[in-house]
Amino acid sequence: MIHHLKGQLIEKNPTYLVIACNGVGYMVNISLHTFSLIPDSENISVYTHLHVKEDSHTLYGFYQKSERDIFRLLISVSGVGTSTARTMLSSLEPNQVKDAIANGDVPTIQSVKGIGAKTAQRVILDLKDKILKVYGEDEVFVPQDNTIKEEALSALETLGFARKQATRVVDKIMKDSASPTVESIIKMALKNL
């Protein structure tokens, strides 16, 4: 119903924005990802999703259209509501969610607060084909060799780093590197952790 809002930024918080559009102030719930991207400038534009329930109408805002698309896919899964989807997009970046679903990475999805093993598996089962269909093979990062990643993560854990944090850094390094080795991943990860 409401595709986007373009107006004056009145208030900016990690969980919501207030945007004035032609004299009306809209409270828009956002993820931490969107919060980090929203400029502090006076005039902003956000893509929105209006969630209508029996007792409330709630507006969710996204700085990127792709984040809104992933949010809509997530809430289409039975057992995943708007709060869970927003938490997921606050804990992980949209590309991490997309890649985790495409690769069947249950531990990454399960690392989000409030998501158990069954829900993580349901998210992957319900959305894997849709993610690959919408984004295609080119836009989804499917790791070529998981043993390199696992060896690097194991080494970083041994050095005392948390697996969740190390996984984010290692995934980014593997995306950016053409042919990473275990040693190069560990060295670059140590600089970024």
Side-chain angles (χ1 to χ4, degrees), residues 19-142:
I19 303 171
C21 301
N22 296 323
V24 179
Y26 291 92
M27 184 178 153
V28 183
N29 292 289
I30 59 169
S31 68
L32 284 175
H33 178 71
T34 290
F35 175 76
S36 68
L37 297 175
I38 292 281
D40 288 329
S41 60
E42 195 172 298
N43 293 316
I44 63 162
S45 179
V46 292
Y47 295 98
T48 58
H49 173 82
L50 178 63
H51 188 69
V52 179
K53 289 194 324 193
E54 210 174 279
D55 58 346
S56 68
H57 290 205
T58 311
L59 203 54
Y60 291 88
F62 309 92
Y63 193 67
Q64 300 165 319
K65 204 172 188 179
S66 60
E67 184 182 9
R68 180 180 67 180
D69 294 342
I70 291 171
F71 177 83
R72 286 178 170 168
L73 284 172
L74 289 170
I75 62 173
S76 73
V77 176
S78 173
V80 177
T82 53
S83 295
T84 304
R86 182 168 75 158
T87 301
M88 193 180 290
L89 290 167
S90 292
S91 303
L92 304 167
E93 291 188 11
N95 283 338
Q96 289 176 307
V97 174
K98 185 172 65 174
D99 293 343
I101 292 168
N103 296 318
D105 186 354
V106 174
T108 298
I109 302 290
Q110 203 177 337
S111 71
V112 176
K113 186 178 187 275
I115 294 187
K118 285 184 180 176
T119 305
Q121 289 166 351
R122 192 177 316 120
V123 165
I124 290 166
L125 186 69
D126 288 2
L127 299 182
K128 189 171 189 171
D129 292 339
K130 291 178 185 175
I131 290 277
L132 292 171
K133 188 175 166 187
V134 171
Y135 294 99
E137 298 288 338
D138 300 339
E139 289 184 54
V140 177
F141 174 68
V142 180

